[in-house]
Amino acid sequence: MKQTAMRQADFTLLFDLDGTLTDTDELHFHAFRALLAEHGRELDHDSYLRHVHGSTNEAIMRALLPDIPERHQELAERKEKLFRASASRLRPTPGALRLFDWAQANGAAIAIVTNAPRANAALMLDRLGLASRVDALVIGDELAYGKPHPLPYLAGLARLGGRAERACAFEDSPSGIRAARQAGLHTFAIAGMLPEAALREAGADAVIADFNAPELWRWLEQAYIRASQT
C-alpha cells in the first residue's frame, strides 16, 4: 500500500470493498452457510440480505447466533477463514482499473473504507492487484464505530486531507450508503444483490452497474473541474 503523507487532496475517491470493488457476495453467503451448518443452522438469501449484507461481524453474530455470545469472536474468525480460503479468483468490478488509472493521472487520492477485517481487505486488494494503488485503508472494526456510522468515511477523508465537497464514495449496501451520505459525500451505489429502489431509499445519489457507467464519468469530469477551480 502506498504511504501517503497528510495533504490537501486534489480529489478523493473512497471505495467500499466487498460487493463494490469486487463481487464477493456469493463467497460470503456460502461461508456463512458453512459456518451455520456446523452448528445445525441454516441461512437463506433473504436472511443474508437482512442480517449480513453490509453489517459488521459483531452485528452479524448477534443476529445469527444470539444464544452463544461468548463464542462470537471465535466464530467470526472461523467464518473469515472460510471466506479467505475461497477467495482465490476475485476479479475487479468492470471499470475499476480504469477509475484507478484516472485517479493516478489526475492526482486523486484513493481510500478503501470497509467493515471487512484487515486480513480480508489485504488479501482482496492483493488478489485484485490494487494494494499498491491505495493511499489509505480504513477498517471499520478498528474504529469506535463502523458503518452505518459515518466515522469510517470521515476517517478516510481525514487521513488523506480530503474534503467531502471534493470527493465521492462508492458503495453497494444501505448501511454503507448511509455512512457515506452522513459524511457529506456524493455516493454512487453499485447495483448488486439489492434492488435499485433499496439503494436509492438508503440515500444513493446514483445507482450504476459498474465503474464504466457514463453517468459516473460525466459526474467525475464536472466535479473535478469544479474542484480544480476552488
Side-chain angles (χ1 to χ4, degrees):
M1 186 171 301
K2 292 190 289 183
Q3 297 297 314
T4 300
M6 180 71 75
R7 60 181 173 81
Q8 185 66 54
D10 297 323
F11 203 79
T12 309
L13 303 179
L14 301 105
F15 296 86
D16 175 51
L17 187 47
D18 283 292
T20 299
L21 274 177
T22 185
D23 184 0
T24 55
D25 281 321
E26 285 300 314
L27 297 181
H28 283 295
F29 176 61
H30 288 297
F32 273 111
R33 286 196 69 183
L35 176 71
L36 292 177
E38 293 174 356
H39 297 272
R41 310 180 195 200
E42 297 181 350
L43 180 70
D44 58 26
H45 266 100
D46 287 342
S47 295
Y48 175 83
L49 292 176
R50 187 164 59 252
H51 298 303
V52 176
H53 193 253
S55 296
T56 63
N57 270 340
E58 181 181 0
I60 293 167
M61 291 299 157
R62 285 200 307 267
L64 298 183
L65 297 160
D67 53 318
I68 46 174
E70 70 280 0
R71 298 191 62 193
H72 283 179
Q73 182 62 38
E74 167 202 344
L75 295 175
E77 292 173 359
R78 167 67 177 154
K79 178 266 163 181
E80 298 307 347
K81 288 180 180 179
L82 291 169
F83 167 77
R84 289 193 293 271
S86 67
S88 60
R89 298 181 180 178
L90 295 177
R91 296 290 182 271
T93 300
L97 299 182
R98 175 188 176 192
L99 186 49
F100 273 60
D101 288 343
W102 178 89
Q104 182 176 359
N106 289 280
I110 291 175
I112 304 298
V113 181
T114 178
N115 277 345
R118 182 169 291 274
N120 287 24
L123 174 67
M124 286 188 280
L125 290 171
D126 181 66
R127 295 282 167 83
L128 295 171
L130 299 176
S132 64
R133 307 183 70 179
V134 171
D135 300 294
L137 175 58
V138 179
I139 304 296
D141 281 348
E142 297 176 0
L143 302 174
Y145 302 100
K147 305 173 193 178
H149 196 282
L151 180 59
Y153 277 104
L154 294 172
L157 287 171
R159 291 180 191 182
L160 297 175
R163 292 156 46 191
E165 63 270 23
R166 299 162 66 106
C168 67
F170 301 93
E171 273 287 351
D172 76 309
S173 71
S175 65
I177 292 167
R178 288 193 290 271
R181 293 293 292 124
Q182 289 177 43
L185 294 161
H186 186 95
T187 304
F188 290 93
I190 303 296
M193 296 185 71
L194 296 174
E196 180 175 339
L199 300 172
R200 291 193 179 276
E201 183 179 351
D205 292 287
V207 179
I208 56 178
D210 57 40
F211 298 110
N212 286 319
E215 179 178 0
L216 165 61
W217 290 93
R218 286 193 297 268
W219 185 89
L220 278 175
E221 180 179 1
Q222 295 167 3
Y224 191 76
I225 289 173
R226 289 195 301 270
S228 299
Q229 294 172 344
T230 60

